[in-house]
Amino acid sequence: NAGVTQTPKFQVLKTGQSMTLQCAQDMNHEYMSWYRQDPGMGLRLIHYSVGAGITDQGEVPNGYNVSRSTTEDFPLRLLSAAPSQTSVYFCASRRTGSAPYGYTFGSGTRLTVV
Amino acid sequence: LAKTTQPISMDSYEGQEVNITCSHNNIATNDYITWYQQFPSQGPRFIIQGYKTKVTNEVASLFIPADRKSSTLSLPRVSLSDTAVYYCLVGDTRAAGNKLTFGGGTRVLVKP
């Protein structure tokens, strides 16, 4: 049981490049989300999904796209990287249902845009 | 979404009990209170969750007064490895459509 797996762990991009951050979970969790964390700051929600084929925006969605074609995968796409997107990105998942469940987080992707 | 307020930082010493209070004045009836721990260069880790009164697990205790407008995370006999940022999160973690947001967290430094 691997939990939430994020790839790559580190990435350097040039301004204007695009890339996809991968996130996969093997716990059959319905809910998945992407957060970014800037140095010394808390986490800010980018996008989230409540199931395959369903996504919605969080607090800071501009410049990012997501899709959820399967329960397991929730990739985050940077359309045209900007230095302001330099951050650590965390993917998280949780169950949903009649009981409250906590999030399981991945280990993060550290992105630098130059 | 219920807004939370926590102290920015706290210092403690090994073996002491650390209590972190989170204020959430506009908590909704269906909201739960959840605490996470984050070490540098790692994702947050679930610690404890509760709705009212007291919850205890092998890591921490969570105290919630009757009005639920605040909560206190208690870490007994901390060690150096408990140095981390602790986040208080308030929301209905049952619902599928919930987008839960994190506040700034409390940076706890445990000294020898």
Side-chain angles (χ1 to χ4, degrees):
Chain A
N1 189 337
V4 177
T5 302
Q6 291 185 236
T7 56
K9 293 192 182 302
F10 301 93
Q11 183 70 49
V12 178
L13 286 179
K14 294 183 178 179
T15 298
Q17 287 185 318
S18 63
M19 80 158 293
T20 300
L21 308 186
Q22 301 292 343
C23 175
Q25 52 93 7
D26 60 359
M27 300 170 284
N28 203 32
H29 286 176
E30 300 91 343
Y31 184 99
M32 298 184 74
S33 54
W34 277 100
Y35 292 87
R36 62 175 287 175
Q37 186 172 38
D38 299 323
M41 305 287 286
L43 292 91
R44 290 186 292 170
L45 181 66
I46 305 172
H47 285 286
Y48 67 101
S49 169
V50 300
I54 306 170
T55 64
D56 205 348
Q57 296 181 348
E59 302 171 83
V60 288
N62 293 339
Y64 307 94
N65 272 355
V66 292
S67 59
R68 184 100 179 265
S69 56
T70 67
T71 299
E72 295 78 19
D73 301 299
F74 190 44
L76 177 72
R77 183 165 180 82
L78 278 71
L79 309 173
S80 176
S84 60
Q85 293 179 304
T86 293
S87 189
V88 180
Y89 292 83
F90 290 102
C91 179
S93 72
R94 66 176 172 89
R95 289 180 60 185
T96 60
S98 59
Y101 297 102
Y103 287 94
T104 300
F105 280 83
S107 57
T109 295
R110 188 173 298 272
L111 176 69
T112 302
V113 182
V114 298
Chain B
L1 299 174
K3 179 178 169 57
T4 60
T5 303
Q6 309 173 228
I8 294 174
S9 64
M10 300 178 68
D11 288 358
S12 183
Y13 291 91
E14 282 191 292
Q16 289 189 335
E17 180 181 78
V18 171
N19 296 306
I20 310 170
T21 296
C22 179
S23 297
H24 28 81
N25 291 320
N26 59 339
I27 188 170
T29 302
N30 291 334
D31 287 347
Y32 285 77
I33 300 156
T34 314
W35 285 82
Y36 289 83
Q37 175 191 55
Q38 186 180 27
F39 298 115
S41 302
Q42 295 186 24
R45 182 176 75 104
F46 173 88
I47 300 177
I48 198 167
Q49 182 169 236
Y51 185 81
K52 61 181 178 181
T53 63
K54 177 183 173 182
V55 180
T56 298
N57 62 22
E58 65 278 4
V59 176
S61 294
L62 178 60
F63 298 91
I64 306 169
D67 67 5
R68 302 201 328 122
K69 293 185 183 300
S70 66
S71 59
T72 298
L73 175 73
S74 180
L75 306 172
R77 298 179 298 281
V78 293
S79 64
L80 297 178
S81 63
D82 292 315
T83 292
V85 178
Y86 293 83
Y87 294 96
C88 167
L89 203 68
V90 173
D92 186 350
T93 49
R94 298 167 300 171
N98 247 294
K99 51 181 181 181
L100 301 183
T101 57
F102 285 75
T106 298
R107 192 172 301 272
V108 172
L109 173 62
V110 180
K111 303 175 183 178

